[in-house]
Amino acid sequence: MKTLISIAVLMGTAVLSLPAAAQFAKAEDAIEYRQGAFRVMAHHFSRLGAMANGKAPYNAAVAAADGDVLAVVSKLPQAGFVAGSDKGKTRALPDIWKEEAKFKDLYEKMVAETAKVATAAKSGSLDQLKASFGPAAQSCKACHDEYRAK
Amino acid sequence: MKTLISIAVLMGTAVLSLPAAAQFAKAEDAIEYRQGAFRVMAHHFSRLGAMANGKAPYNAAVAAADGDVLAVVSKLPQAGFVAGSDKGKTRALPDIWKEEAKFKDLYEKMVAETAKVATAAKSGSLDQLKASFGPAAQSCKACHDEYRAK
């Protein structure tokens, strides 16, 4: 049984790390998927930012709910950056596919920083939310500066 | 302290049930948000459907990951159906805002059925996934038939 579970885990890992292209019928689908996920992420992240920056009243319950969504959704767009999806209705720059390791690093930095925002958002502490927000916003900007058309 | 927490909870509830319009600067943002969330949901739901229907090999780890995303994302689009967002780049029909109670019922039915899919997807049982998928797909279709332009 233990062996079976190990095999299942290994297979799971293998499939999850297959070229993401396998997940989408065509490049356009991948573009729409990543844009959809970024759109959702931006909404919840912006709402947390408004609280962090005093532009909206702090509400612990709303912040916690936004944090929950952010933690899940921030991981999703990466799978949409499949080979061939630099063309079409996208602002993603071709360098993403030329500098995959660097793009991956920046992406993972963003996931790590937004995870800290999610934790802070669920802490009930506005001070923690404020402290976490800046580095996360910077991690978004770092990638946009390099890899998103102006 | 107990009173403070109660007030916080009450405020949280109040804000969460405010007209969702307050969350979006303009109707277009609400439309893009709900479409983005639906796009992400459709991707993960379709992948589970492919496994349930034998069109893709069943992989318990992938199914569980899809189920996790589905459980979170299925709840999101509802907030994007704000007043005035029946116009613009959307297939949402005006009846949504004329029959709000009925739309809400259909929406909540979908959330309940996709929650069952998410649970089944995390059970490690393909049979459970198969059993849950049909009713969930039907709950999507029920709303599309009534409230989405063909």
Side-chain angles (χ1 to χ4, degrees):
Chain A
M1 190 48 153
K2 207 169 170 188
T3 311
L4 271 177
I5 292 170
S6 300
I7 291 170
V9 169
L10 283 170
M11 283 177 64
T13 310
V15 169
L16 286 170
S17 58
L18 269 182
Q23 296 181 25
F24 299 97
K26 50 188 194 295
E28 186 188 343
D29 294 345
I31 292 171
E32 290 188 355
Y33 173 80
R34 73 191 186 217
Q35 288 176 345
F38 276 132
R39 171 73 55 181
V40 172
M41 180 165 78
H43 175 68
H44 294 274
F45 187 67
S46 296
R47 199 153 62 172
L48 289 166
M51 292 187 229
N53 296 320
K55 290 176 187 167
Y58 177 63
N59 180 295
V62 171
D66 284 332
D68 280 336
V69 176
L70 187 65
V72 171
V73 175
S74 64
K75 295 172 190 161
L76 302 182
Q78 191 171 23
F81 288 94
V82 301
S85 66
D86 56 329
K87 294 166 194 73
K89 289 181 70 173
T90 178
R91 292 163 73 190
L93 294 174
D95 278 353
I96 289 172
W97 292 269
K98 288 176 195 151
E99 301 170 1
E100 285 190 0
K102 187 175 165 193
F103 176 72
K104 188 167 176 280
D105 279 352
L106 287 176
Y107 193 94
E108 287 172 359
K109 173 85 173 151
M110 178 279 286
V111 171
E113 294 298 338
T114 52
K116 289 179 199 167
V117 172
T119 301
K122 290 190 275 185
S123 72
S125 156
L126 177 56
D127 283 343
Q128 285 189 36
L129 182 60
K130 284 180 179 176
S132 67
F133 191 78
Q138 184 52 45
S139 76
C140 298
K141 186 178 181 296
C143 210
H144 294 166
D145 285 351
E146 292 276 347
Y147 296 120
R148 189 173 73 166
K150 301 293 173 292
Chain B
M1 189 48 148
K2 207 170 169 187
T3 311
L4 271 178
I5 291 170
S6 300
I7 291 170
V9 170
L10 281 171
M11 284 176 65
T13 310
V15 169
L16 285 171
S17 59
L18 270 182
Q23 297 180 24
F24 299 96
K26 50 187 195 296
E28 186 189 344
D29 294 345
I31 292 171
E32 290 188 355
Y33 173 80
R34 72 191 186 219
Q35 289 176 345
F38 276 131
R39 171 73 53 180
V40 172
M41 180 165 77
H43 175 69
H44 294 274
F45 187 66
S46 297
R47 200 154 59 174
L48 289 166
M51 290 189 232
N53 296 319
K55 290 176 186 167
Y58 177 63
N59 180 296
V62 171
D66 283 333
D68 281 336
V69 176
L70 188 65
V72 171
V73 175
S74 65
K75 295 173 189 158
L76 302 182
Q78 191 171 22
F81 288 95
V82 301
S85 66
D86 56 330
K87 294 167 194 71
K89 288 180 72 173
T90 177
R91 292 164 71 189
L93 294 174
D95 278 353
I96 290 172
W97 291 270
K98 289 176 195 150
E99 302 169 359
E100 286 190 359
K102 187 176 165 194
F103 176 71
K104 187 166 176 282
D105 278 352
L106 288 177
Y107 194 94
E108 287 172 0
K109 173 84 174 154
M110 177 279 286
V111 171
E113 294 299 336
T114 52
K116 290 179 198 166
V117 173
T119 302
K122 291 190 274 186
S123 72
S125 157
L126 176 57
D127 284 343
Q128 285 189 36
L129 181 60
K130 283 180 180 176
S132 68
F133 191 79
Q138 184 53 44
S139 76
C140 298
K141 185 177 181 297
C143 210
H144 294 165
D145 285 352
E146 293 275 347
Y147 296 120
R148 189 174 73 166
K150 302 295 173 288

